[in-house]
Amino acid sequence: MVFFHKQELQYRATPDKPDAVYARKLQEVLGGQYGEITVAMQYSFQAWNAHMPGKYRDMLFGIGAEEFGHVEMLATMIAQLLEKAPLGITEDAVQADPTVAAIVGGTDVQSAIVAGAGVRPVDSNGNPWQGSYITASGNMLADFWANANAEMQGRLQVARLYHMTDDHGIRDMLSFLLARDTMHQNQWIAAAKELQEEGHENFPVPSNFPINKEMRDVAYEYRNFSDGQAAAEGSWAKGPSPDGLGEFSYVANPDSGVPMPPPTHPDSRFYGTTELPNTMEKMAGTIQDKLHKE
């Protein structure tokens, strides 16, 4: 992927007034687990991991580039919310929301101390964005469903943020992001369906694993490990399975398990505590050292 930056945003990102408290809230959909940084990187890595050229790979690259644009929009909005916001704790913010008062007036003090009243790659609690948020397995059906989930979670959070402000400029930008998340949810579901219709992949993922190598007699059992019985009413406990390969059944009282194996005894030089006397552990370590058993 080659990036070429144009000096323009995909959509307006200008608040009516500064608001350091809301800037912190908005950080969640920028640098949180389901924020725009995550989906931008996720779709890009999925494209790089794609082993099949053509429309699916092109789509991943295209949507990844769009999401980087959303990162820029949110970063621009947050920077403007902080631009003329007071550095100290505002009395109004503290009085309006007791939870806000509990966290330094609701502001992210590091946005001032570390970033000079700028945006940072963190969530609303200041936790750094992590690459571990990314799902890029190389299996497109698995990844497309993960993408649909990411868009659902992201849209859910943006919808909540919409009702946390009455700033028309912020709501205008969020309404654009909500609509794009609507498109993306539908897009990933459509792409997953098309993959299946074209025979590239199916459920259960991975569908090309030899099914006779799994224990088929338990593949469609709903095992009730709860003292409630209502789960038996669900479609997952009776009738045909979605993969079309089995029939669900409900097991009200699963069989007892198997006994636990005895505790392990790792190399004594890991210095874990076992049921053996400490002197024996020391002796074993000494002998292993003399035998050069590293």
Side-chain angles (χ1 to χ4, degrees):
M1 180 183 288
V2 176
F3 291 102
F4 181 86
H5 184 260
K6 296 179 68 175
Q7 297 294 321
E8 59 186 42
L9 296 177
Q10 287 182 22
Y11 191 77
R12 294 184 297 270
T14 304
D16 293 343
K17 58 186 182 297
D19 186 340
V21 173
Y22 194 82
R24 175 175 180 168
K25 296 176 182 178
L26 208 56
Q27 282 280 166
E28 189 64 37
V29 290
L30 175 73
Q33 181 177 359
Y34 299 106
E36 299 289 357
I37 295 177
T38 294
V39 291
M41 294 297 291
Q42 180 160 304
Y43 303 159
S44 298
F45 271 95
Q46 287 176 5
W48 294 325
N49 287 354
H51 307 296
M52 183 172 63
K55 59 185 177 183
Y56 296 110
R57 195 163 187 259
D58 286 352
M59 176 189 63
L60 283 163
F61 276 131
I63 196 69
E66 178 184 355
E67 299 292 5
F68 276 112
H70 294 174
V71 171
E72 187 174 32
M73 287 168 56
L74 282 165
T76 300
M77 176 65 80
I78 291 170
Q80 290 180 91
L81 286 167
L82 294 169
E83 184 179 13
K84 296 179 180 179
L87 291 178
I89 303 173
T90 62
E91 185 176 349
D92 289 344
V94 172
Q95 295 299 323
D97 187 345
T99 60
V100 164
I103 313 174
V104 198
T107 63
D108 179 358
V109 293
Q110 285 196 327
S111 67
I113 299 168
V114 177
V119 67
R120 298 190 303 128
V122 300
D123 65 15
S124 54
N125 278 333
N127 300 309
W129 181 83
Q130 301 180 49
S132 60
Y133 295 156
I134 293 173
T135 298
S137 69
N139 183 294
M140 283 189 170
L141 187 55
D143 285 353
F144 287 177
W145 278 107
N147 295 350
N149 172 68
E151 296 288 352
M152 292 174 193
Q153 296 291 341
R155 190 172 189 273
L156 180 62
Q157 293 178 3
V158 172
R160 289 167 175 165
L161 281 164
Y162 186 92
H163 294 292
M164 294 181 185
T165 182
D166 57 5
D167 187 300
H168 296 293
I170 297 172
R171 281 191 162 190
D172 182 51
M173 183 195 72
L174 294 184
S175 70
F176 173 82
L177 294 177
L178 285 162
R180 294 310 298 159
D181 285 348
T182 294
M183 166 58 191
H184 296 158
Q185 286 185 40
N186 282 283
Q187 169 189 314
W188 295 122
I189 292 170
K193 181 180 178 181
E194 197 162 319
L195 268 176
Q196 293 173 263
E197 290 173 344
E198 293 177 352
H200 297 301
E201 184 60 91
N202 212 328
F203 294 115
V205 175
S207 58
N208 57 346
F209 181 82
I211 204 162
N212 63 326
K213 292 187 181 297
E214 71 174 42
M215 194 176 295
R216 294 294 291 164
D217 58 342
V218 298
Y220 301 100
E221 287 184 351
Y222 178 86
R223 296 183 169 190
N224 187 41
F225 289 103
S226 168
D227 60 3
Q229 301 297 321
E233 302 166 10
S235 58
W236 55 84
K238 57 181 179 295
S241 59
D243 62 16
L245 303 176
E247 191 84 8
F248 285 129
S249 62
Y250 179 81
V251 181
N253 300 296
D255 293 336
S256 299
V258 298
M260 283 284 291
T264 57
H265 292 91
D267 191 310
S268 60
R269 290 165 298 178
F270 281 121
Y271 307 111
T273 303
T274 72
E275 78 279 11
L276 298 176
N278 186 257
T279 51
M280 290 182 64
E281 293 279 12
K282 287 181 179 178
M283 187 182 303
T286 301
I287 293 172
Q288 286 170 315
D289 285 338
K290 288 182 178 179
L291 294 174
H292 302 290
K293 290 191 175 181
E294 298 300 330

